[in-house]
């Protein structure tokens, strides 16, 4: 058989094409392997808007697939996600039943203390606490409880350490990373802290201006919840932290210390004492403070506020954190005594910081039924407050404008006017910051778009230094799921996470691997415990074996045999074609 | 005649409103998730509060009762309360004018430009002018308005500084008189431009196509034979008939117009109804969604009545009541 060069080329091309067409499905070796041998399969739900978490999940999905575990990622809007994960009827159900198998979100803190442990419970889900993963671990629960019952910081640190050890043995979520956010504020603004939002606005200063100058600072937020009161508005709402925090102070407040940690310092309370048995906390309030309508601030205001919050009829969500309060007494106008059922180390952080609420005037809220507290104030002119700032303008979903309170007991703030504007689109907000139309972008804007503009923003005079965010990103599991219930399965997954790739690619290096729920900026961070997530396939397989899942023999041999067969068939077909072609030519 | 027509249309509006709002109500409640869980999940609130809040908001009542209560309240002017305590009426009132302003002005300009260029292109069909205009229309039609908005901001607001970046500071400065009008225009022009660029091509192509079709019609040839001038030919005879399909097109886009353009509002931080609606829907804020939908449907009904009147004016063959004329 003699072939010309042209014919040879044609035949080779045909061969190659046939080979590729036959072989293409098998180029995706990993997917084939996973689908053939997916010994474990589950769905991970990620809320929309959390793009870093979604990107991390994609990387984890690939890594799991290479090792026989199939994780399907589903994105749900935040409303649906929260309803499923938190709703009483749905949180125990698996994804197919209408709940979730695994979720990826943050576990976030207030920097002063282990505040989330106040309402989290590691044992089942009694009405008093929350536990969206249905974690049921007696030892962990005991350790968390012990950490609450003492006020000694070293003892508490010991118990949190024990908790983290147990958590790593039987995790309800895999802690992935702690991440950093850029400050994104004009460089001449001093003392702005992204973690505190506007809570410490009284301390803000602007370089180059004096107390006598009229100073305005404009801050951008991506959305707001339209609260005008400190009871409903404060608990975990962006509106609370950034719009009304300086208007409604509490007994204590957070302050960033020079060493980088946060502590609680006096605000409306000058000082406080804790009794020997830890069951009584006495606050001594500042004297001579007046509400904006001229009435004096007294202990009665504190009593009415907290008793109202403790009554479910008011509907204030902060009840969960205040549960241990048995009674509130006011022996005189400037002393408040909280009596607790058990020692509760977090009660101070609950009464301070801004995560719970602010004090409301007794002469207004004490006179209306508690069912009417929600939405009682809808106009700035109705508000009676005594913070460093007051709300002078409020356009729902659009902006809040705060002005310095001239009668503030701490003196006149440096910044006279704070305008908080809602800019939903990150790109628009970044443009506005660059051009100088806003001065600060809150941490919610942190993401790949902001990171990409790092150098151009710095060139425009914006301070883009990084701050560790008090949050732990995790991959959590619904422990009612029949497979994920087994802790070896969870530990196996924990050992199949390429955490370095995630931190480099998704966070661009701005983060570090996490070892548990507690973040490094907290005094309780157990720095000696290594991260839980790593890439160690051997260990993962060992855990899977312990869990009773054995990986079937790999398909690789079969795949090679298949490819070999295709090659031989291809060659035979090629020769056959060549033969027929040459016969045809011969016949001519 | 006209009065009776309008009266009947308004009367028919009531069942329309009821049907549409009850459909929206149903859809909202079928979607997974409920407002209380969404509200409390972020704050990790406790269980007892959940029951209390459900009772306070009236969500424990059966659906049809909730709906009829809402309907009853509408007649007394009470559109309900949002999840955060703000009356829905004030939420809508603070934003509806901005939506109307942006949408109506952009529609007027779009229609005007479309008529002007469409008639020109249709008349000079096949010429270089026509080809250029059609190409530009295709460009404007295809470019995503989201991207266009961001590029506009980048070029005209950030680099050149002619306009403010978005409208989030609209209303913050206290200027009066001519200055405030100029200020307002400066905020209005960027989203307006993008909307016009996005909207005009569609109307342009429609008008051009109808002009081309009409110019071939017999009555045009008759008019020309009668010795009527070119301008009269286009304007008086062709255009009036060409406006008919255009009016229909505007009529069908009423929903888009009054719903507020969410994308434009997000990009330019324009304080309109679109962002309110979407934020409320995501937060499962039922009464806000119902309230905004109600107002939107009302606006659509009113403007569709007006469009029908314009329709009858343009085309004498279509009148109300027919035979009596």
């Amino acid at each position: 058989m003699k072939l010309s060069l042209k014919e040879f080329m044609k035949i080779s091309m045909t061969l190659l094409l046939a080979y590729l067409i036959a072989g293409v499905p098998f180029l995706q070796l990993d997917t084939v392997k996973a689908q053939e041998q997916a010994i474990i399969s589950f769905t991970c739900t990620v809320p929309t808007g959390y793009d870093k978490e979604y990107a991390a999940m994609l990387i984890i999905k690939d890594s799991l697939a290479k090792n026989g575990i199939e994780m399907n990622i589903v994105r749900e809007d935040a409303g649906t996600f929260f309803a499923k994960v938190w709703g009483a009827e749905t949180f125990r159900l698996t994804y197919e039943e209408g709940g979730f198998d695994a979720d990826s979100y943050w576990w976030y803190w207030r920097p002063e203390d282990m505040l989330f442990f106040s309402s989290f419970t590691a044992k089942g889900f009694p009405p008093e606490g929350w536990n969206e993963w249905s974690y049921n671990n007696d030892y962990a629960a005991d350790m968390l409880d012990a950490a609450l019952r003492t006020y000694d910081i070293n003892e508490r640190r010991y118990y949190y350490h024990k908790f983290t050890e147990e958590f790593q043995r039987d995790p309800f979520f895999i802690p992935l990373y702690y991440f950093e956010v850029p400050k994104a504020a004009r460089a001449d603004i001093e003392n702005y802290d992204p973690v505190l939002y506007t809570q410490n606005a009284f301390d803000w200063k602007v370089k180059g201006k004096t107390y006598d100058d009229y100073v305005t600072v404009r801050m951008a937020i991506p959305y707001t919840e339209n609260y005008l009161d400190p009871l409903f508005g404060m608990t975990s709402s962006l509106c609370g932290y950034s719009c009304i925090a300086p208007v409604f102070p509490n007994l204590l407040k957070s302050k960033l210390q020079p060493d980088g940690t946060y502590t609680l310092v006096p605000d409306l309370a000058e000082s406080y004492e804790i009794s020997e048995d830890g069951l009584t906390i006495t606050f001594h309030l500042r004297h001579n403070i007046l509400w904006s309508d001229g009435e004096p601030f007294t202990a009665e205001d504190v009593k009415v506020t907290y008793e109202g919050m403790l009554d479910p009829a008011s509907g204030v969500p902060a009840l969960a954190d205040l549960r241990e309060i048995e009674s509130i007494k006011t022996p005189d106008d400037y002393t408040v005594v909280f009596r607790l059922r058990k020692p509760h180390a977090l009660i101070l952080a609950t009464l301070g910081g801004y995560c719970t609420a602010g004090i409301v005037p007794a002469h207004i809220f004490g006179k209306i039924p508690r069912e009417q507290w929600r939405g009682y104030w809808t106009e700035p002119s109705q508000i009676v407050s005594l913070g460093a700032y007051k709300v002078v303008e409020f356009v729902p979903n659009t902006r809040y404008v705060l002005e310095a309170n001239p009668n503030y007991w701490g003196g006149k703030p440096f910044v006279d006017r704070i305008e908080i504007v809602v800019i939903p689109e990150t790109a628009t907000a970044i443009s506005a910051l660059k051009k100088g139309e806003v001065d600060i972008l809150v941490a919610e804007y942190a993401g790949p778009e902001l990171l990409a503009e790092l150098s151009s923003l710095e060139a425009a005079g914006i301070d883009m230094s990084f701050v560790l965010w008090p949050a732990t990103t995790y991959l959590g599991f619904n422990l009612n799921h029949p497979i994920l219930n087994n802790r070896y399965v969870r530990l196996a997954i924990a050992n199949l996470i390429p955490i370095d790739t995630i931190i480099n690619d998704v966070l661009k290096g701005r983060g570090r691997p996490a070892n548990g729920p507690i973040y490094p900026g907290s005094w309780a961070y157990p720095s000696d415990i290594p991260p839980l997530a790593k890439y160690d396939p051997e260990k993962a397989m060992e855990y899977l074996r312990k869990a009773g899942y054995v990986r079937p023999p790999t398909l690789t041999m079969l795949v090679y045999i298949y490819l070999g067969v295709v090659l031989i068939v291809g060659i035979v077909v090629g020769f056959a074609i060549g033969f027929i072609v040459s016969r045809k030519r011969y016949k001519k | 005649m006209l009065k009776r027509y309008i009266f009947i249309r308004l009367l028919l509006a009531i069942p329309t409103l009821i049907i549409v709002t009850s459909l929206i109500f149903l859809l909202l409640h079928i979607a997974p998730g409920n407002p209380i869980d969404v509200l409390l999940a972020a704050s990790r609130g406790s269980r007892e509060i959940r029951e209390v809040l459900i009772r306070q908001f009236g969500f424990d009542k059966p659906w049809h009762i909730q709906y009829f209560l809402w309907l009853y309240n509408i007649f007394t002017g009470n559109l309900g309360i949002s999840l955060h305590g703000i009356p829905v009426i004030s939420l809508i009132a603070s934003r509806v004018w901005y939506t109307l302003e942006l949408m109506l002005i952009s529609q007027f300009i779009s229609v005007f430009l479309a008529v002007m260029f469409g008639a020109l292109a249709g008349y000079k069909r096949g010429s270089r002018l026509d080809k250029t205009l059609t190409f530009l229309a295709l460009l404007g039609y295809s470019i995503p308005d989201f991207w266009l908005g961001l590029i506009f901001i980048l070029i005209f607001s950030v680099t050149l500084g002619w306009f403010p970046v978005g409208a989030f500071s609209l209303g913050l400065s206290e200027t009066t008189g001519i200055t405030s009008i100029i200020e307002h225009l400066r905020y209005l022009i960027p989203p307006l431009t993008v909307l016009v660029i996005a909207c005009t091509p569609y109307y342009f192509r429609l008008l051009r196509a109808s002009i081309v079709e009409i110019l071939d019609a017999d009555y045009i040839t008759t008019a020309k034979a009668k010795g009527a001038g070119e301008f009269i030919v286009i304007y008086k005879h062709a255009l009036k008939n060409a406006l008919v399909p255009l009016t229909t097109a505007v009529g069908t886009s009423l929903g888009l117009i009054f719903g507020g353009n969410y994308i434009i509002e997000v990009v330019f931080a324009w304080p309109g109804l679109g962002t309110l609606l979407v934020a409320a829907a995501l937060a499962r804020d039922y009464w806000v969604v119902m309230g905004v939908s109600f107002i939107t449907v009302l606006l659509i009904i009113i403007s569709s009545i007006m469009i029908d009147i314009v329709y009858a004016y343009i085309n004498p063959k279509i009148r109300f009541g027919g035979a009596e004329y």
Side-chain angles (χ1 to χ4, degrees), chain A residues 425-479:
Chain A
E425 171 60 41
T426 308
T428 314
I430 295 175
S431 299
L433 184 64
K434 233 190 264 190
K435 203 184 154 202
E437 289 195 18
V438 295
D439 306 312
I440 301 176
L441 251 53
V442 291
E444 273 70 8
Y445 286 112
E449 285 162 313
L450 196 59
L451 278 178
E453 298 282 330
L454 204 66
S455 39
S456 64
L457 281 172
E458 278 181 340
I462 310 292
D463 181 357
M464 294 292 279
S465 52
F466 281 85
V467 171
L468 185 68
W469 197 247
T472 310
T473 303
Y474 63 76
L475 168 59
F477 302 104
N478 180 355
L479 296 177

Side-chain angles (χ1 to χ4, degrees), chain A residues 146-410:
Chain A
L148 277 184
R149 302 300 162 219
T150 167
Y151 293 93
D152 176 17
I153 253 196
N154 292 314
E155 270 187 62
R156 296 180 66 200
R157 195 180 281 130
Y158 169 79
Y159 288 122
Y160 284 124
H161 196 281
K162 286 281 165 222
F163 166 79
T164 311
E165 287 170 37
E166 174 61 15
F167 167 82
Q168 288 216 344
R169 198 194 70 89
D170 178 18
F172 52 90
F173 62 56
I174 300 174
L176 295 172
Y177 52 77
Y178 315 110
F179 58 92
E180 298 171 3
V181 304
K183 201 164 150 198
R186 234 180 44 213
D188 57 357
I189 299 178
E190 292 173 1
N191 301 325
Y192 165 68
D193 182 354
V195 173
L196 291 180
Y197 293 87
T198 54
Q199 198 215 2
N200 68 335
F202 177 74
D203 299 325
W204 291 357
K205 292 191 183 16
V206 176
K207 277 201 274 271
K209 302 262 189 198
T210 67
Y211 266 97
D212 297 320
D213 293 324
Y214 192 83
V215 181
T216 305
V217 170
R218 195 180 287 174
M219 192 169 89
I221 54 178
Y223 58 87
T224 185
E225 292 97 345
N226 299 327
Y227 290 114
L228 273 180
D229 71 274
L231 296 166
F232 307 90
M234 290 305 217
T235 323
S236 294
S237 80
L238 181 59
C239 166
Y241 302 157
S242 56
C243 304
I244 52 179
V247 181
F248 299 105
N250 204 331
L251 295 169
L252 306 168
K253 67 178 177 192
S254 312
K255 196 174 174 77
L256 177 62
Q257 300 300 333
D259 66 354
T261 58
Y262 291 86
T263 52
L264 288 169
V265 300
D267 198 349
L268 286 179
E270 275 179 332
S271 61
Y272 60 91
E273 294 109 37
I274 307 175
S275 64
E276 278 289 321
D277 59 3
L279 295 176
T280 310
I281 309 181
T282 311
F283 288 93
H284 302 284
L285 306 177
R286 275 183 216 275
H287 296 233
N288 304 322
I289 301 180
L290 295 176
W291 289 98
S292 54
D293 61 357
E295 293 289 321
F297 165 69
T298 64
E300 186 65 20
D301 298 313
V302 179
K303 182 166 196 267
V304 165
T305 304
Y306 282 98
E307 283 186 343
M309 286 204 278
L310 285 170
D311 182 1
S314 66
V316 180
L319 173 59
D321 299 318
L322 299 169
R323 200 174 300 283
E324 298 291 4
I325 297 177
E326 190 181 52
S327 70
I328 305 164
K329 292 199 174 30
T330 53
D332 63 60
D333 271 352
Y334 295 104
T335 314
V336 187
V337 180
F338 286 87
R339 176 112 193 120
L340 307 174
R341 290 193 188 89
K342 287 190 264 192
H344 190 70
L346 291 173
I347 198 70
L348 288 172
T350 312
L351 298 173
Y354 48 87
C355 50
T356 313
I359 309 290
V360 291
H363 57 276
I364 295 178
F365 282 84
K367 296 205 169 68
I368 56 171
R370 295 208 179 108
E371 288 80 10
Q372 288 179 23
W373 282 21
R374 168 174 290 274
Y376 188 67
W377 285 332
T378 53
E379 293 279 316
S381 50
Q382 299 168 322
I383 299 176
V384 172
S385 63
L386 47 59
Y389 289 87
K390 41 187 216 286
V391 183
V392 296
E393 196 189 325
F394 166 61
V395 181
N397 289 99
T398 308
R399 68 173 161 269
Y400 283 76
V401 178
L402 308 179
E403 269 191 6
N405 177 6
N407 303 318
Y408 183 55
W409 54 265

